[in-house]
Amino acid sequence: MISSNLSAIFYLISGVLFILALRGLSSPETSRQGNLFGILGMIIAVTVTFLSIGNFSNGFIFVIIFILLGGSIGAFIAYRIPMTAMPELVAGFHSLVGLAAVFVAISAFLNPEAFNLGTTGNIKLGSLIEMSIGAAVGAVTFSGSIIAFLKLQGIMSGSPITFKGQHPLNAIILVSIIVLIYFLCSTQSSNLFWILLIISFLIGFLLIIPIGGADMPVVISMLNSYSGWAAAGIGFTLENTALIITGALVGSSGAILSYIMCKGMNRSFFNVILGGFGGATEDAGTISTKEQKPVKSGNADDAAFLMKNASSVIIVPGYGMAVAQAQHALREMVDTLKKNDIKVSYAIHPVAGRMPGHMNVLLAEANVPYDEVFELEEINNDFANADVAFVIGANDVTNPVAKTDPQSPIYGMPVLDVEKCKSVLFVKRSLSPGYAGIDNDLFYKENTLMLFADAKKMTEDITKNL
Amino acid sequence: MEIDPLIFRLSIFILSIFVGYYVVWSVTPSLHTPLMSVTNAISSVIIVGAIIAGLSGNSDSVFNTSSIFGFLAIALATINIFGGFLVTQRMLAMYKKKKKEKK
């Protein structure tokens, strides 16, 4: 058994190591080292916990059993998961953090002596407040992430689910959570604690169902943030510095990512949270205008011809590339282009895909060197000088309407200036609008050639024709 | 007058939010997915609470309602710790620079 002062210092060290883990991600070279810092921090925190309890009696063997059980499940998932499923995986992991926070809060509530928080039915006021906040946020994170997971996995429809009185209902529930915490703290009643958990689960569910598929990057980041605040709440209860530091880091990390994602769509955070965007506007209005405008469509042969005669090509990947698993086929096409001395770069919009950085991971998986991949601000001026833009699976993020039509729902959203290229190749299955539910003007431009096919198949065919 | 220890924890919390703010803004956008998976893994340091809960049983019985929730939380948190760090490792291993020499 080690003194509580010494263990507090070790918890501080592991908190610092977690900061270094995030710091490492500022560049790919230092990132692997950063991850090792994170692992080291975790090992220190767990070891110190064992040493400070100093109880290696019967219970210890069960702790080890459950660690091995969870560890093997986690490792199995980590090695088997395809990179295209990262958004689902991250949503699933968030739900586990939330549920773990709830469980820890429950056991602290049932057995406060073990945590040094007073006795059952007479828990220290401060601890009880922290505990209920941690439990409530954890419960919201859990049920919210489950819904996000189901939507990403396609088990639940990605279109927003809205009903009358939704916002007032949510507001009432949120207020009642605060009232419940107040009464819970004054009465110490365990019934109120269970009710608090149940309605927190409910509100997490209700908050996420009205949010549409294309807003998932914001939702995932937001839940990431919540899982951090839940951990911090529990950290206050347990008076544990490692947890408080980590909770604050994760909480602010998720908040920043949500902000970046919202900015990438030019929408306010509240606008996303209130939900209902996309799908609702997708009515018959767009279909009638479609017929009037001519579209040039081509095949793999035409596309290969255009690219062969180009000197520089910019590739714009989007969610469709992930769905079609076309990243490897794309890399092969680019290899062929490079052999012909054609300069190729990749342009990534901040909200391309279903989570922050989604496209970058897929390209990295296909062995695309990260110094050929550029962010929107870095590459947007290069479109004017490029010969061919190859849009694969992206749609709304290339729509010039965002710059020209103040009436459009996506007006003001930063978009890639794809239309400035000499010619645009647009791989898409049909002319259907993207998630924002609006028509893309790019389809009808003089210099656009539509390639109607599955992204992977089309890319392979082009490679054959090069 | 003595300062309540809660104030110290609150200070750590607020300062960590600022540290987090500046550190996360310096993360390159291409690593945002690994950032999410690694934050997932480190927030599972909540396992320290789960271990305390799991070992709270007395010598008569290892299992009581409180410790059972502790054990379940341990399992959930370790799924995240192993899953989160390993999948981050796997992703980061894929980020490579352009090869300068020919193969």
Side-chain angles (χ1 to χ4, degrees):
Chain A
M1 187 143 174
I2 57 175
S3 82
S4 45
N5 283 336
L6 189 60
S7 55
I9 288 177
F10 276 113
Y11 283 135
L12 183 63
I13 292 173
S14 80
V16 171
L17 285 168
F18 290 152
I19 295 175
L20 292 176
L22 299 194
R23 184 75 188 97
L25 290 172
S26 57
S27 98
E29 287 107 72
T30 55
S31 60
R32 283 174 277 263
Q33 189 195 25
N35 201 38
L36 294 180
F37 281 138
I39 295 173
L40 185 62
M42 189 61 75
I43 292 172
I44 291 177
V46 171
T47 314
V48 168
T49 310
F50 281 129
L51 292 178
S52 64
I53 301 172
N55 169 6
F56 293 98
S57 62
N58 307 338
F60 184 69
I61 186 79
F62 287 99
V63 173
I64 298 298
I65 290 175
F66 279 93
I67 287 183
L68 290 177
L69 178 73
S72 41
I73 297 175
F76 179 77
I77 297 173
Y79 284 114
R80 294 299 296 275
I81 192 88
M83 283 300 141
T84 42
M86 277 318 290
E88 292 95 305
L89 180 75
V90 168
F93 278 169
H94 287 155
S95 74
L96 298 183
V97 179
L99 196 58
V102 172
F103 284 171
V104 173
I106 292 177
S107 45
F109 185 78
L110 294 175
N111 188 0
E113 287 96 340
F115 295 86
N116 219 353
L117 307 171
T119 54
T120 316
N122 191 17
I123 301 171
K124 281 187 277 180
L125 178 65
S127 310
L128 192 54
I129 299 176
E130 293 150 6
M131 197 189 292
S132 358
I133 295 175
V137 180
V140 171
T141 312
F142 171 71
S143 53
S145 304
I146 292 287
I147 301 299
F149 175 81
L150 293 177
K151 285 196 172 194
L152 287 164
Q153 188 80 292
I155 298 172
M156 212 172 133
S157 153
S159 57
I161 299 168
T162 48
F163 54 87
K164 260 213 169 94
Q166 194 162 27
H167 300 320
L169 178 68
N170 289 349
I172 290 169
I173 295 180
L174 286 175
V175 171
S176 68
I177 285 179
I178 296 165
V179 174
L180 263 177
I181 291 180
Y182 175 79
F183 280 111
L184 173 63
C185 293
S186 52
T187 64
Q188 304 254 348
S189 146
S190 58
N191 285 339
L192 289 181
F193 185 73
W194 299 119
I195 297 174
L196 173 70
L197 285 182
I198 291 170
I199 62 168
S200 304
F201 281 129
L202 185 67
I203 187 73
F205 173 76
L206 287 173
L207 278 176
I208 307 302
I209 53 166
I211 303 180
D215 288 338
M216 279 301 148
V218 183
V219 171
I220 294 194
S221 318
M222 186 183 81
L223 292 167
N224 185 258
S225 179
Y226 287 179
S227 70
W229 305 129
I234 302 295
F236 274 101
T237 320
L238 305 179
E239 311 185 345
N240 184 307
T241 0
L243 251 177
I244 296 177
I245 295 177
T246 314
L249 288 178
V250 177
S252 50
S253 159
I256 290 172
L257 290 178
S258 323
Y259 171 80
I260 296 175
M261 293 301 111
C262 286
K263 225 177 118 223
M265 296 191 291
N266 188 38
R267 298 177 52 203
S268 77
F269 186 65
F270 285 103
N271 186 311
V272 175
I273 295 309
L274 292 179
F277 188 79
T281 50
E282 211 169 331
D283 51 21
T286 46
I287 295 163
S288 56
T289 52
K290 230 181 251 173
E291 318 291 342
Q292 304 159 1
K293 291 188 256 180
V295 168
K296 273 200 292 182
S297 81
N299 56 29
D301 209 14
D302 307 328
F305 178 78
L306 269 171
M307 286 208 238
K308 235 188 284 180
N309 293 309
S311 62
S312 68
V313 174
I314 298 180
I315 292 166
V316 182
Y319 184 58
M321 182 188 81
V323 175
Q325 306 256 16
Q327 66 271 31
H328 298 282
L330 182 67
R331 213 276 330 281
E332 276 164 32
M333 185 188 91
V334 170
D335 283 350
T336 322
L337 289 175
K338 279 193 206 152
K339 267 183 218 144
N340 294 319
D341 282 330
I342 298 165
K343 185 176 166 282
V344 184
S345 38
Y346 299 80
I348 306 220
H349 190 275
V351 296
R354 282 293 176 273
M355 73 184 295
H358 193 182
M359 290 302 121
N360 303 78
V361 170
L362 293 182
L363 292 178
E365 189 200 9
N367 283 323
V368 172
Y370 62 82
D371 39 12
E372 287 176 12
V373 182
F374 298 94
E375 303 300 317
L376 177 113
E377 305 87 43
E378 295 172 316
I379 200 167
N380 228 3
N381 293 329
D382 297 353
F383 280 108
N385 307 321
D387 296 314
V388 175
F390 186 70
V391 182
I392 173 166
N395 186 358
D396 292 332
V397 298
T398 62
N399 197 339
V401 159
K403 289 176 285 190
T404 52
D405 179 11
Q407 302 299 315
S408 165
I410 61 165
Y411 181 70
M413 168 170 139
V415 286
L416 293 160
D417 296 336
V418 174
E419 77 281 0
K420 291 188 182 153
C421 261
K422 290 199 189 76
S423 47
V424 179
L425 295 169
F426 212 116
V427 185
K428 206 170 177 311
R429 281 200 234 185
S430 69
L431 273 181
S432 61
Y435 272 89
I438 46 167
D439 216 9
N440 193 341
D441 269 6
L442 201 55
F443 298 167
Y444 314 107
K445 293 263 182 207
E446 188 60 24
N447 55 353
T448 304
L449 188 67
M450 299 296 295
L451 307 167
F452 294 111
D454 173 73
K456 188 177 176 187
K457 198 169 169 302
M458 178 53 75
T459 321
E460 283 165 352
D461 287 350
I462 294 175
T463 314
K464 273 182 219 147
N465 282 304
L466 274 172
Chain B
M1 221 179 89
E2 222 171 295
I3 301 172
D4 192 314
L6 174 69
I7 304 301
F8 288 119
R9 286 192 281 278
L10 198 63
S11 320
I12 294 174
F13 180 62
I14 303 291
L15 291 175
S16 304
I17 292 179
F18 278 92
V19 172
Y21 180 85
Y22 289 107
V23 168
V24 172
W25 270 118
S26 72
V27 171
T28 160
S30 66
L31 290 176
H32 275 162
T33 299
L35 171 70
M36 300 200 91
S37 61
V38 85
T39 51
N40 233 312
I42 65 172
S43 58
S44 301
V45 73
I46 201 159
I47 193 173
V48 301
I51 293 173
I52 297 174
L55 290 178
S56 66
N58 50 33
S59 45
D60 301 332
S61 74
V62 178
F63 293 104
N64 54 43
T65 339
S66 169
S67 72
I68 288 174
F69 276 111
F71 287 128
L72 291 177
I74 290 175
L76 295 179
T78 38
I79 293 179
N80 252 322
I81 293 172
F82 280 75
F85 280 126
L86 290 175
V87 89
T88 310
Q89 192 91 330
R90 209 181 122 198
M91 275 192 274
L92 294 177
M94 300 182 315
Y95 282 81
K96 290 187 200 95
K97 256 197 170 160
K98 207 182 299 188
K99 273 191 221 115
K100 287 199 181 93
E101 71 282 311
K102 279 170 200 141
K103 49 182 166 171

